[in-house]
Structure formats: C-alpha cells, structure tokens
Amino acid sequence: MRTWLINAWYVAGFSDELEGSGFVSRKFLNLPVLMFRRSSGDLVALEDKCPHRLLPLSFGRRVEDEIECGYHGMRFGSSGKCTLAPGQDQIPSAACVKTYPLVERHKLLWIWLGDSDKADEQLIPDIHWNDHPDWTPSRGYHYVKTDFRLSVDNLMDLGHESWVHLKTIGQKDEECIPSYPVSVSIENGYQIRAHREMPNIDAPPFFAMVLDYEGKINRWQTAISSAPSICMTDFGVYPVGESPGGAYRSHVCHLLTPETENTTHYFWSVARNKRLNEDRLTRDICKGISDTFDEDAVVLEMQQRMVNLYGKDVPYVAMKVDEAPIRARRMLAELVAKEMTDPTFIHKPQLIIEDTTPLLSMSQ
Amino acid sequence: MNTKEILVEVVNKKILAEGIAQYDLMPVERNSLPMCSAGAHIDVYLPNGIIRQYSLCEIRPEADKYVIAVLLDPKSRGGSRWMHEELSIGAQLRISEPKNLFPLNMNAKKFIFLAGGIGITPILAMAYAVESIGGVFELHYCARSKKKMAFHDRIAQSAFKGKAHFYWDDEKNTRALQLNELLSHPSPDVHLYVCGPKGFIDAAVLAAAEMKWSKKNVHFEHFSNAAVNSENGGVFSVRLASSGKCISVGSKETIAAALRREGVTVPLSCEQGVCGTCLIPVISGVPDHRDLYLSDNEKARNDKITVCCSRSLSAELVLDL
C-alpha cells in the first residue's frame, strides 16, 4: 500500500541551491531527479536516468543548458530530448528522459511527480513566511533515515520534548510537557492541530536565547499537520505579565518530502516575527534548531530500525500523546485511498495558519 | 432498575413558548425528591431507550417537585419529539437523581448570566438562587424571537426584573447583545455563566477570552449534552448479536470490562480511546462516543464503538460480537 500522495507539490529544495552552473540530484517518492536552472533562469527537473544503460545522469556533467551522460556522452536538453549521441547520426526518438514540473515559490523549489497535466500551481502550499518582510527565516536541511510518517508523528506529538530535547526546547519534572493538556482539532477539512499552553514556566534554553530573558514565561505551541507531508509548529513565548500580542513568535515549517518509504528529506524554515535584522540571532537559531532536529533524528532512526526488525506498526501500544499523530495518519491514509480509487481526485492544501495572535486561555 | 432511579409523575404540562413545553415532575413512591443546587440536571429515561438530560429550571426548598422545560428539536430522533407528543399529565417517567456539573461559585461577588434560547433553564434557577441570598447579578437572555422565549413574562414580573435584559434577533429596534462590551471588565470576583446552543456558548467564551477573562471565571454548559463529561455515567446493557446474551454495564465499569467479566475478550491496547484497536461494530442502539479516534462524521454514523471508553445513550446497545 502506497503511503504518500502522488498528485501533490513537494518541496524539492531551497531556491538558492540552484544558483550557479551546476545541478542538484535527489530522489523523491522513489524517483531519481536531476534539477538545474537554465541560463535563462527557467527551472528544469529531469528524471535522473540515462535511457541508454540507465546510469544516473548526475554521474555526468552539465554542458551549458544540457546534461551529458558520464558513460557514453549522450546529451539531453531541458525538454528531455536527446540532442547528441556520439558516434552516430541517427538519434533514436525513444532516447529521451522524463521531465517534471518544477516551480519556485517563496524561495522554495516545488516539484510535481504525478500526472503533469494536473500540476496546477494554485495548489502549491502557502509557505510565505520563508520569504516575507514581516518574518525572518533560519533555514536548514536534515536527511533522516525514517518513514516520513514517523517524522509527522513526532512533530504532532510534542510531548516528547521533555525527554528528547532537554538541552534545547524541553522542560522537565513537574513542568513536563505532556502534563499540560493538549486540545486536538481538525481544521479546513484536512489539517490536524494540537494546541497546548504552558503558563508560567521556566524558559528552556532556546527560548531564553530568543527572548533574551531568563525569567518565567508563558508559552504556547500549536502543532499543525497539513496533508500530505508539511507540518508547522507555531509557537509563541512572552514574559509572564506581558500580553500575548507582543509575543516572540515563530512558525517552524517542517517541509518533509519522502525520498523512499524509509528515508525523508527534511527541509526546514524557522520564521520569526521579532529581532528581524539580527543576523547573529538568525545563525544562533539555525544552530539551536539544527541541534534539536539532530536529537529527533537519533530517536526516529532508532525507531525505524526497530519497526523494520519487528515488522510492527507504531504506536504499538498508544499513549494519550498519540491522539494527534493517529488522527494525522488516518487523514493521510484517507487521502491516499481517495487518490488511488478516484482518478479525478486532487487534494487542495489550505492555508496552514493565520498570523493573528491565537486565542489563548492562559492568563497573562 | 437502578436504585438511584426515581419514578415520577407528570403533574403539570404547559406550553411556555413556541416549541417549548414545561413539565412538573412529582415523586410517586416517596414524599420528596433529593435536594440539589442551581445548575443541576436530571437524566430522563424515555420508554424508547433514549436518555436525555434536562436542567432543572427552579430549585424548590421544599423539594416537592422538579420543573424542566423541553425544546422540540425538529431533527429529534425520538427524545424531545416523544416528550412533546407523547408525554402528558398523569404519565409516569423514570429519572435519575440530580447531578450538578454546572454549579455556582458562591465566592463570587458578582455573577453575569448569559442564556441563549432553551439555555435559560439552568440560568433561571441560578438567578433565583442568587436573588434569594441578595447577591449581585445581571441576566442577559437572547432568543430568536419573543415568541420563542420561555419564561419571558415570569422574569419580567420577578423581583429581579430590573437585572434582566432581553434580546431578540427578529426585531430591528431591539438592541443586540454586545458581548465584548458586556464582558469588558473582567475581575477575579466576577463569574460568567453561559448556557445555550453551541454557537452561542462559543461566541461568549471567545469574547471572554478576547476580553482577557480568566478561564476559572468562565463557566458554561452545552445544553444538548449536559452529562457527557461526567466521570462514567449511567447503567445500560450490551447484547451480543451472535448469542443474544445480554450483559449489563455498571456505572463505574467500561463496556470492555463488563465483556471481560462475562468471559468475552476484545482486543484492547491504549484503553483510553486513542488507538481504535477495540472498535466493535454496532448493530443497534446509540453509542455515547467518548473516544479521541473517530472523526465527527464517523461518530455520527453510530455504527462503531470503542468499547474501552465509550458508553451508551440508549438503554441497550447491540454489538456485532
């Protein structure tokens, strides 16, 4: 049973990865892809496979706006057609490679691996926080050897922070995160939200840094899963006694793209609404978040190995923290089943979050 | 019969407003009814197996009768429709002892009462209770129209008429309720009590949050499912479709535990309604879904139940076991 949607836009990378005259090769949904930007600025995504002996084209080189295979020198243009077959005049018409729609939006590269006639750019999820004057992003990438659904599970269950992330964003003991009630809701049809408020807590190290404040804080976090594979952690922190409208707020965008059933490209963009021009802070956040996601990767990869070893699905015995992950998985499974049974079905992603201050029940 | 059940007789039934009937219930086998406080409700066990919760509209010191008011729901599946069409004076009914999940905080120095439509029922009892001890309160009562407003004249002629404000949707000249204005001065000593349709409660709770009310000072009760949050709940039975065997489920045990007691094992995993492992098909009866697994649409189909935590709204559930 397929675990992902095919007819959807997935993040293929950051726009600036295609600067210069090289190319980037990555596998998405088990399909090897080679991407480059032509000298005209247009984007190209080719199947990374020479039709001759199936060697990855990325083993070859880029010659101006064409790719040359590193085995026998066959060249392919951005339309996928073979333009040169060394040693022969006749170029077989079957010698062409598949192309995929590749679009730049909000400084992200978006690829469509399904039916190309369904690739409507209107369906690209809105991740404007990665490219907007009111927000400053810190960006990064992790390659995680895990089923992307385990990553979604992990992002929808933030209760693990108190054990996995004590050095970065977690709280322990009586302030451990699962003891704060979480409210789970389904928004816009296909988004799962898990909202939690933590009033009057000691600031974990990462939050003390971004607030530049050591005292007690109020903190909210809303984990959002937007099918098929984008998650957001919306968090706000502010000193106790101040108003949530002035909170330091972040939209942590987790842009997951399955590479294979058991490996995931994890592009992330952590946009903040305060101290926008402090480059040092941008770098410190990159470091803090990168450390945090390293901690996640350790747990996720171990978990994947055990899942493979025992051949069991997880959660094996569910805990209360699994409500949102389980709802998100069921939602995805429903969408995949629809896509497999109804050829006209296309999932339309909704805006993930409004930027207005959320309604909080915790007092100031 | 559950020993906590009380047999009552309908001694009075009258139409209060369009689609709303009042019933006065007096005990049959005893002289008085259990005492309770404003905000309490009773479960009414209808002969068709449906259980409905109704708030008590007044708290009588002599505890001689309970007064409830019932809105006819046009989509009724047999609850309010049966009450309106079949239940007449002289008829007998089984009810539960009163439970109060919506009690007044008597430390408050002032109360704001907000009622929407049939949500007036517990609020009316609260207004009387606070008035009787000389407490400070305001009552704001909204309805679609004056014709649909139960107890309007009674409130307008009461000792607290000066504290009551009425709002109707259908008359242009009446002032609309301005929630933000009404709730503009939160204080630890002021408590808000809201009852009515879900949309009404949501709007009031939202406005209170916007005006920075502390959650501790905002109290509400959804009229349609007053008892859903009670710890366990009433007694009912499950019938196994394969054998016809009937198993009663006690108020403090789960369906799964009752099944296990009778030697019927069902697979369990999380035991708190998260994972869906214990889903069992329902052949008849109306589950009281308490899990976190099924979506709202799936719950509305009433064709599956998580037996680790969900219960029954009907007297019997027939399970495909």
Side-chain angles (χ1 to χ4, degrees):
Chain A
M1 175 78 181
R2 169 146 72 71
T3 57
W4 50 61
L5 284 178
I6 286 182
N7 286 316
W9 291 99
Y10 286 95
V11 174
F14 295 103
S15 296
D16 56 14
E17 291 183 273
L18 296 187
E19 281 169 9
S21 56
F23 57 73
V24 169
S25 73
R26 269 185 196 127
K27 201 191 281 175
F28 309 109
L29 316 186
N30 283 330
L31 300 166
V33 176
L34 181 152
M35 303 177 286
F36 63 97
R37 190 188 295 273
R38 296 173 60 186
S39 43
S40 63
D42 296 343
L43 296 176
V44 181
L46 300 175
E47 187 172 16
D48 188 12
K49 182 184 84 182
C50 178
H52 173 217
R53 299 186 77 91
L54 308 189
L55 211 72
L57 290 172
S58 52
F59 179 70
R61 62 182 183 130
R62 177 168 169 182
V63 181
E64 293 174 349
D65 284 346
E66 298 189 334
I67 302 295
E68 181 184 276
C69 181
Y71 203 175
H72 300 90
M74 260 192 166
R75 281 195 196 171
F76 301 89
S78 50
S79 68
K81 277 202 185 127
C82 180
T83 56
L84 177 72
Q88 63 189 65
D89 295 333
Q90 175 67 28
I91 296 180
S93 55
C96 67
V97 293
K98 196 169 160 40
T99 64
Y100 299 102
L102 182 68
V103 175
E104 189 172 8
R105 178 78 55 88
H106 300 130
K107 297 202 168 150
L108 294 165
L109 303 169
W110 295 89
I111 194 164
W112 182 277
L113 300 142
D115 305 337
S116 48
D117 53 344
K118 293 180 176 156
D120 176 358
E121 293 183 21
Q122 301 284 332
L123 298 172
I124 296 177
D126 180 352
I127 308 292
H128 65 267
W129 309 282
N130 189 49
D131 180 23
H132 192 281
D134 295 343
W135 298 87
T136 297
S138 297
R139 306 187 188 102
Y141 169 79
H142 278 62
Y143 177 73
V144 192
K145 288 184 223 149
T146 186
D147 183 334
F148 76 104
R149 295 175 304 163
L150 285 185
S151 286
V152 175
D153 287 354
N154 185 60
L155 292 164
M156 292 308 290
D157 140 38
L158 298 175
H160 71 273
E161 288 178 3
S162 289
W163 289 271
V164 178
H165 302 307
L166 267 191
K167 290 181 201 141
T168 48
I169 55 174
Q171 300 133 226
K172 61 180 175 186
D173 301 334
E174 69 271 21
E175 288 183 348
C176 90
I177 291 183
S179 36
Y180 295 89
V182 63
S183 68
V184 177
S185 59
I186 301 174
E187 311 280 336
N188 301 325
Y190 287 103
Q191 274 175 19
I192 310 292
R193 292 190 183 193
H195 175 81
R196 185 182 262 128
E197 296 178 17
M198 292 161 269
N200 198 27
I201 56 168
D202 289 324
F206 179 82
F207 300 107
M209 173 187 80
V210 298
L211 277 177
D212 197 12
Y213 176 81
E214 296 286 344
K216 291 273 185 182
I217 61 166
N218 291 331
R219 171 184 180 188
W220 84 77
Q221 61 176 201
T222 309
I224 304 169
S225 163
S226 181
S229 64
I230 289 177
C231 294
M232 177 192 277
T233 316
D234 169 55
F235 75 77
V237 286
Y238 54 101
V240 170
E242 292 185 11
S243 150
Y248 174 100
R249 189 171 184 193
S250 233
H251 294 324
V252 184
C253 303
H254 313 275
L255 311 165
L256 305 172
T257 303
E259 182 192 48
T260 68
E261 283 79 4
N262 286 333
T263 51
T264 299
H265 299 289
Y266 184 174
F267 304 97
W268 47 266
S269 169
V270 181
R272 67 177 187 271
N273 71 340
K274 292 267 189 283
R275 303 172 65 188
L276 298 180
N277 298 317
E278 296 181 33
D279 292 344
R280 171 85 195 270
L281 181 62
T282 303
R283 286 194 301 275
D284 287 347
I285 290 172
C286 266
K287 173 78 169 64
I289 293 290
S290 184
D291 290 349
T292 306
F293 294 170
D294 284 346
E295 292 166 341
D296 283 312
V298 169
V299 173
L300 288 169
E301 293 184 359
M302 253 190 305
Q303 191 182 185
Q304 183 71 56
R305 285 197 295 276
M306 294 303 269
V307 164
N308 294 348
L309 178 64
Y310 285 92
K312 303 278 189 198
D313 257 340
V314 287
Y316 185 58
V317 176
M319 287 173 71
K320 201 154 185 160
V321 293
D322 293 309
E323 179 189 355
I326 287 176
R327 287 199 186 274
R329 275 208 186 207
R330 295 190 73 214
M331 188 69 82
L332 178 64
E334 186 187 321
L335 287 171
V336 172
K338 272 190 187 158
E339 188 181 77
M340 291 175 82
T341 52
D342 175 3
T344 64
F345 174 75
I346 293 280
H347 171 56
K348 293 187 175 56
Q350 307 283 325
L351 179 66
I352 297 175
I353 197 167
E354 302 278 356
D355 292 338
T356 47
T357 305
L359 200 57
L360 300 174
S361 53
M362 63 188 165
S363 57
Q364 298 167 25
Chain B
M1 192 185 202
N2 179 355
T3 51
K4 291 221 175 145
E5 285 181 9
I6 303 166
L7 190 65
V8 292
E9 183 179 320
V10 179
V11 296
N12 185 25
K13 174 182 180 179
K14 64 179 179 190
I15 298 301
L16 287 174
E18 196 177 294
I20 300 178
Q22 173 182 328
Y23 301 82
D24 295 1
L25 310 173
M26 287 187 80
V28 174
E29 295 160 325
R30 48 201 279 180
N31 293 326
S32 64
L33 291 161
M35 292 291 292
C36 60
S37 54
H41 72 270
I42 52 171
D43 293 344
V44 174
Y45 306 105
L46 305 182
N48 52 12
I50 291 175
I51 302 171
R52 285 285 176 269
Q53 288 83 32
Y54 296 106
S55 297
L56 302 181
C57 313
E58 54 182 283
I59 304 301
R60 299 169 61 85
E62 56 274 39
D64 57 339
K65 63 178 181 182
Y66 290 154
V67 177
I68 61 173
V70 178
L71 171 69
L72 175 63
D73 177 357
K75 291 177 292 194
S76 169
R77 290 170 295 166
S80 63
R81 182 165 302 283
W82 186 89
M83 296 282 285
H84 271 253
E85 293 175 0
E86 306 291 332
L87 185 63
S88 50
I89 295 175
Q92 294 193 343
L93 261 187
R94 289 180 303 124
I95 64 171
S96 71
E97 291 191 338
K99 292 172 229 177
N100 199 344
L101 304 175
F102 193 36
L104 285 171
N105 180 332
M106 297 315 283
N107 296 322
K109 297 217 170 88
K110 180 183 172 182
F111 298 91
I112 297 178
F113 296 127
L114 267 180
I118 192 65
I120 188 63
T121 50
I123 297 289
L124 183 67
M126 291 177 174
Y128 274 107
V130 176
E131 177 69 13
S132 72
I133 55 165
V136 180
F137 71 95
E138 301 168 13
L139 167 62
H140 299 268
Y141 180 12
C142 308
R144 294 250 176 265
S145 68
K146 193 175 172 187
K147 279 187 308 193
K148 295 188 174 175
M149 199 167 226
F151 302 118
H152 172 272
D153 293 349
R154 183 167 162 180
I155 296 168
Q157 291 157 19
S158 70
F160 54 85
K161 61 187 178 217
K163 300 169 187 171
H165 308 268
F166 300 98
Y167 309 86
W168 301 293
D169 292 349
D170 63 345
E171 281 182 35
K172 290 208 175 69
N173 296 331
T174 54
R175 200 169 65 99
L177 176 61
Q178 301 293 336
L179 280 170
N180 284 15
E181 188 185 314
L182 178 68
L183 303 175
S184 59
H185 297 294
S187 147
D189 297 328
V190 182
H191 284 250
L192 173 66
Y193 285 80
V194 189
C195 188
K198 186 173 182 305
F200 179 85
I201 294 174
D202 289 350
V205 171
L206 194 80
E210 274 175 8
M211 303 315 290
K212 311 276 188 273
W213 279 65
S214 160
K215 223 175 170 177
K216 291 198 295 279
N217 291 48
V218 179
H219 312 266
F220 54 90
E221 186 167 57
H222 288 287
F223 196 78
S224 58
N225 52 2
V228 162
N229 292 324
S230 63
E231 271 271 287
N232 257 315
V235 176
F236 57 96
S237 57
V238 291
R239 189 177 292 280
L240 311 183
S242 59
S243 62
K245 183 171 180 173
C246 189
I247 298 171
S248 73
V249 181
S251 65
K252 291 198 161 43
E253 70 181 340
T254 63
I255 298 177
L259 291 169
R260 193 167 49 223
R261 167 166 53 73
E262 297 296 322
V264 183
T265 43
V266 289
L268 288 180
S269 183
C270 74
E271 299 184 54
Q272 49 194 330
V274 173
C275 70
T277 303
C278 65
L279 275 177
I280 303 287
V282 173
I283 291 171
S284 70
V286 184
D288 175 3
H289 297 287
R290 297 179 177 202
D291 63 279
L292 307 169
Y293 179 83
L294 296 172
S295 67
D296 289 347
N297 285 340
E298 290 168 325
K299 284 179 179 167
R301 287 203 283 274
N302 286 331
D303 59 354
K304 284 190 216 84
I305 184 170
T306 52
V307 294
C308 70
C309 65
S310 293
R311 303 187 68 79
S312 182
L313 292 175
S314 51
E316 180 177 276
L317 276 183
V318 181
L319 300 180
D320 190 6
L321 276 174

